[in-house]
Amino acid sequence: MATQYDNGYATLDFASTVTANSLVSMTTTNNRGQACATAGNAIGVLQQDVISGQAGSVKLFFPSQFARFGGTTVSASDVLYVGATGQASTAGTVALGVARNSGANGDTIEVFITR
């Protein structure tokens, strides 16, 4: 199971060089961050320069939360919504955040809250 980041910071691996103070989003690989693109869902701000293969500290906009997933599958970086019966879902109208890790129906996943 993932580590819940409730202290306001997350340590993420980076596959490319990213400059300190850049907005960060998740890649489709579990626990991997990247410089946020224009269509990305930013989760926080990188605290130091990193090069490819390094881990970096990201100051999160909001603490992460664990949630039960209700759907077929979810991948890291998928946008999550408030779903039926108290579950996170990949479909809906009320955005909740971004998945940190992949999972399937009934799994507990970590969500970086973005709203």
Side-chain angles (χ1 to χ4, degrees), residues 31-107:
N31 197 42
R32 181 147 302 168
Q34 65 186 356
C36 192
T38 55
N41 292 292
I43 61 168
V45 178
L46 183 63
Q47 298 300 291
Q48 75 279 343
D49 294 339
V50 295
I51 59 171
S52 181
Q54 277 188 329
S57 180
V58 177
K59 185 174 184 182
L60 301 171
F61 296 136
F62 299 99
S64 68
Q65 301 290 326
F66 289 130
R68 266 186 325 116
F69 177 69
T72 308
T73 60
V74 62
S75 297
S77 82
D78 282 353
V79 175
L80 295 171
Y81 299 88
V82 176
T85 64
Q87 297 180 8
S89 173
T90 53
T93 56
V94 179
L96 175 65
V98 177
R100 176 184 168 261
N101 57 293
S102 58
N105 188 46
D107 286 350

Side-chain angles (χ1 to χ4, degrees), residues 3-21:
T3 302
Q4 188 170 356
Y5 296 105
D6 57 1
N7 67 354
Y9 291 86
T11 301
L12 302 175
D13 297 326
F14 286 81
S16 60
T17 299
V18 181
T19 304
N21 301 313

